[in-house]
Amino acid sequence: MKKSYEMDMCTGPLLKKLLIFAVPLILSGVLQLLFNAADIVVVGKFAGSHALAAVGSTGALINLFTNVFIGFSIGTNVLVAQYFGAKDKENIQDTVHTSMAIGIIGGIFLIVAGMIFAPMMLEWMATPEEVLGQAALYIRIYFIGMPAMLIYNFGAAVLRAIGDTRRPLYYLLSAGVVNVILNLIFVIGFRMGVAGVAIATVVSQCISAGLIVRCLMKSDGMYRLHLNRIRFNKEKTIRIIQIGLPAGLQGAIFSISNVLIQSSINSFGAIAMAGNTAAGNIEGFVYVSMNAIYQTALSFVSQNVGAGQQKRIPKIALYCMGIVFTVGLALGTLAYRCGGTLLSIYSSDPEVIAYGLGRMKVVCQIYFLCGMMDVAVGVLRGMGYSIMPMLVSLTGACGLRIVWIFTVFVWKHSLFILYLSYPITWIITLGVHLICFAVVWKRKKGTWATVKPHPEVVVEE
């Protein structure tokens, strides 16, 4: 009997299914960070500090370019999940093939944009002259893999929507192992430096994209991919953009705001920068674990909306809030308690470790607030509301933080005050998201109770 990876999120006990769905997502996020860390270790150990700086200097710029298109995959997730809940094969097919078209064309666009604008923007970011050439080379090669990266993201979104988080984990693991092996061959064996790391990344992205396309093509389900049917469906393209664009813009604008926060940290000197970077990397493992619960809430709410099981939404939201609170509190506290040991992996300098612990003391132990904030966003997006949580997030978690920097931080110029902006803005933004959910739920509850559910997504005016 053929093993089924699909999950019915609309009937039966919720908690067990939420955990079965979320755990592979958590492992996928952690694996991705570990593989990225391996890239940094290899290039730093065997290609020198300039090569390490060149690769490290491109991260924010790559995120800035890719966040909008990756955001579109959230639109795919919501649509496919709602249509899957409604058992609407025709609309699932249109969404899957439109998503692949967006991934291919979007990837080609990013290749051109990256080749033309990325090196120029590296100069605008005041990238040091001694690493500028290597950074430009790395980013040009890296962007060649953009179509593959987007195809994987859209394909993984389709699989998440039908309840399958295991196969994307297997594909990511396979591609990640190849990436590490090729890093060692290209950087150590062929001494290719940053070019070797970039080529290894592109190859691994192509492998993960190939595996996910093969999976979709061989599927017997409603989401089966036919290469000759890949094309833009006008209605589905608009709906994917309506839901995905706000999410993508939110990520892009956050990338810009983080530059301002980083510049504030830079004013305390190189040692503080090093401690902050090390602590931020450790916190990343907590964040991706919590982000998996956001993805879980998004998929479960979407599928239940499509199936007309909207009465389950508050329970999904409550369980996901409880899970993300537990995961965030446990991992955040563990990270801080083991902070000295973990930070020593990045640096043996006591000052660097002290600065890192200063950040982790403020951020890690209440990091669960950030996770709860994201879960609230996932619930609202799953219900078809994407612009509202974007505006709230940008105003609260982004805008208020910038105001804080130019007011409170100017008045009391210390890292503690700067880091304090994180939990304060999380609390405010979470509170507003919960109010938005209460208002939306009250407004929609009567409609859902009297009108037959329709598989189309509802997008707010």
Side-chain angles (χ1 to χ4, degrees), residues 400-413 417:
L400 286 180
R401 212 168 283 168
I402 293 172
V403 170
W404 181 278
I405 289 171
F406 285 107
T407 54
V408 180
F409 179 61
V410 170
W411 169 67
K412 188 71 173 177
H413 192 78
I417 292 297

Side-chain angles (χ1 to χ4, degrees), residues 159-183:
L159 293 180
R160 284 198 304 271
I162 57 98
D164 181 7
T165 54
R166 286 172 290 169
R167 284 183 292 185
L169 170 62
Y170 304 152
Y171 304 151
L172 181 65
L173 179 60
S174 301
V177 169
V178 171
N179 186 23
V180 172
I181 293 172
L182 290 180
N183 276 337

Side-chain angles (χ1 to χ4, degrees), residues 28 31-32 35 152 166-182 200-201 203-212 214:
S28 294
L31 275 175
Q32 187 68 63
F35 289 136
Y152 172 81
R166 286 172 290 169
R167 284 183 292 185
L169 170 62
Y170 304 152
Y171 304 151
L172 181 65
L173 179 60
S174 301
V177 169
V178 171
N179 186 23
V180 172
I181 293 172
L182 290 180
T201 300
V203 172
S204 68
Q205 287 172 340
C206 291
I207 290 172
S208 60
L211 288 171
I212 215 152
R214 179 177 177 273

Side-chain angles (χ1 to χ4, degrees), residues 119 149 227 247 265 267 280 326:
M149 187 192 77
L227 296 182
I265 294 168
S267 67
T326 304

Side-chain angles (χ1 to χ4, degrees), residues 329-349:
L329 180 62
L331 294 182
T333 302
L334 180 65
Y336 175 64
R337 298 301 177 192
C338 302
T341 303
L342 294 172
L343 288 165
S344 66
I345 297 172
Y346 294 83
S347 175
S348 57
D349 188 331

Side-chain angles (χ1 to χ4, degrees), residues 7 27 58 103 145 149 172 175 179 186 268 282 311 338 357 374 400 406 419 428:
M7 179 185 291
L27 293 176
T58 63
M149 187 192 77
L172 181 65
N179 186 23
F186 292 152
F268 290 89
I282 294 169
K311 63 181 182 292
C338 302
L357 285 172
D374 285 347
L400 286 180
F406 285 107
Y419 294 144
I428 294 171

